[in-house]
Amino acid sequence: MDIIVLLPLGRCSKIQELQMTTVIEDNVHVFGVEGDSDELDEPIKDVFADVVFAKKHNLMSLNSINWSRILVQMAHYFFAYFQCAPSMDVCPLPLVEVVVPTGAAGNLAAGCVAQQMGLPIHLATVVNHNDIIHRTVQQGDFSFSGNTSPTLASAMDIQVPYNMERVFWLLSGSDSGLIRALMEQFDSTKKQCVPKELLAKISETISSQSASDEDIIQTMQRCWEENHYLLCPHSAIAVCYHYKRSACEQPSLPRCCLAPASAAKFPDVVLQAQLVPEIPADIRALEHMKTQCTPLRRGDDWTQVLRKKIEDLSQERKGGMSSQG
């Protein structure tokens, strides 16, 4: 197996970058892309859109382009429900709200699948300043709003949340024709107004909120002061929703906030919140390890570079098997 990694240079924390670039085994090939997460997703989508090419080289994606990633995350919702439901001895079962910090909306799609299976949860999706999903839920405005803004929650700096196609499909009653037309228009114009019937279903199923960098810092500080729990900036976006809703709701549903990462990956943000980073020794050791990373610069044809790398690796594998034979 060969592994190809694309990381957005300067768009993730130093530790996140080191976790990828210090893997120097011969079968791991790391590319540093001079672009944001939306931009580096494009060559990946292009490669997988060529079905003949993908089958020929036995390609598989490990991000949420791959449906199996959604299915794995779906299990989190059942686990969370069993932890948070006040009772399992009543009928109907009580409702639990699950707060999902959202970038490409893969985890949100997993929650929608769990709902469709009958799990009694209400979903709340929370984003950073890149708020296309928030605008979609609130107004039906599924539109690109310009350049992606860097925030403290860098993994959520996304304006093309491709898993919303799955959310739309699930909540439209599996209306493939409608969703195909909607997504084709979005792909060509980066603008789309969600139909009223679908928006009504989305609003009924999902709540939303947008959090600023200031919200992230204040939430990290408050959670540490009240609970001595160190949040990562992405987890803080979910807890920010909880704090704001708790202040104005009496009483509220049982609520679970999904925490997608460790604060150890974001020491700079922890320091910005005037807290003390907790960095394990194996993470600190990354700073002293050898790294390897091939740049993908602006102006390069990233799709062509990726295709050539895949073809070269396949050829090497075939050559190796022939010589062994």
Side-chain angles (χ1 to χ4, degrees):
M1 180 189 296
D2 280 282
I3 302 169
I4 298 176
V5 180
L6 274 67
L7 69 93
L9 286 177
R11 297 277 187 153
C12 54
S13 73
K14 184 61 177 178
I15 287 177
Q16 286 178 300
E17 186 174 308
L18 287 171
Q19 285 182 308
M20 292 177 267
T21 59
T22 55
V23 184
I24 58 173
E25 277 72 14
D26 290 341
N27 67 319
V28 179
H29 317 276
V30 181
F31 289 91
V33 182
E34 289 186 349
D36 58 40
S37 295
D38 289 327
E39 291 172 313
L40 70 79
D41 275 337
E42 289 304 316
I44 301 173
K45 293 175 188 175
D46 290 343
V47 166
F48 279 93
D50 187 340
V51 177
V52 174
F53 183 86
K55 288 184 176 180
K56 176 183 177 182
H57 298 288
N58 297 317
L59 301 185
M60 182 184 74
S61 167
L62 288 178
N63 63 4
S64 58
I65 292 173
N66 189 333
W67 176 244
S68 64
R69 159 81 171 269
I70 308 299
L71 296 181
V72 169
Q73 288 180 304
M74 179 190 67
H76 300 169
Y77 290 86
F78 286 86
F79 178 83
Y81 182 82
F82 296 141
Q83 295 292 311
C84 298
S87 173
M88 299 295 290
D89 298 323
V90 296
C91 185
L93 288 171
L95 197 64
V96 170
E97 185 171 45
V98 184
V99 187
V100 192
T102 308
N107 212 348
L108 180 63
C112 287
V113 175
Q115 276 185 328
Q116 296 282 318
M117 294 176 68
L119 189 68
I121 57 174
H122 179 80
L123 295 169
T125 184
V126 195
V127 297
N128 58 25
H129 183 71
N130 302 288
D131 64 349
I132 182 172
I133 296 177
H134 178 52
R135 287 184 284 109
T136 299
V137 173
Q138 296 295 319
Q139 309 159 22
D141 178 20
F142 187 56
S143 300
F144 195 77
S145 63
N147 293 330
T148 304
S149 301
T151 72
L152 297 179
S154 55
M156 295 163 58
D157 292 344
I158 291 173
Q159 289 216 55
V160 185
Y162 50 84
N163 281 288
M164 287 303 290
E165 179 175 356
R166 289 169 169 152
V167 173
F168 293 154
W169 184 79
L170 287 163
L171 299 183
S172 69
S174 310
D175 189 337
S176 299
L178 170 67
I179 304 311
R180 179 188 294 272
L182 190 153
M183 294 308 300
E184 284 178 350
Q185 181 180 330
F186 176 76
D187 288 341
S188 63
T189 66
K190 293 296 184 283
K191 292 184 178 181
Q192 181 57 271
C193 183
V194 177
K196 288 184 179 180
E197 296 80 4
L198 178 56
L199 177 58
K201 185 63 177 177
I202 292 170
S203 299
E204 173 189 326
T205 307
I206 305 170
S207 302
S208 70
Q209 180 178 289
S210 175
S212 66
D213 281 355
E214 183 180 355
D215 289 329
I216 291 171
I217 293 298
Q218 291 178 351
T219 300
M220 292 173 69
Q221 292 171 336
R222 176 177 172 181
C223 188
W224 179 258
E225 290 170 2
E226 295 182 357
N227 305 288
H228 282 268
Y229 188 93
L230 195 57
L231 292 167
C232 91
H234 309 79
S235 309
I237 283 182
V239 176
C240 177
Y241 175 94
H242 168 66
Y243 287 158
K244 289 187 176 182
R245 287 301 178 103
S246 297
C248 62
E249 292 179 354
Q250 294 289 344
S252 64
L253 293 172
R255 181 177 291 132
C256 170
C257 295
L258 299 185
S262 165
K265 294 182 180 183
F266 308 95
D268 291 346
V269 183
V270 174
L271 288 170
Q272 194 170 329
Q274 299 179 323
L275 301 172
V276 180
E278 300 171 355
I279 306 177
D282 56 348
I283 296 293
R284 291 186 183 277
L286 295 174
E287 298 178 2
H288 309 290
M289 296 173 65
K290 181 180 177 181
T291 63
Q292 66 176 10
C293 182
T294 302
L296 279 183
R297 305 192 186 283
R298 290 200 178 275
D300 295 344
D301 186 333
W302 297 346
T303 299
Q304 190 56 39
V305 171
L306 192 55
R307 287 177 67 97
K308 186 176 186 308
K309 184 65 177 180
I310 292 166
E311 289 170 341
D312 290 347
L313 291 172
S314 290
Q315 194 61 40
E316 289 174 15
R317 290 291 180 187
K318 289 177 182 178
M321 286 188 288
S322 298
S323 62
Q324 289 172 10

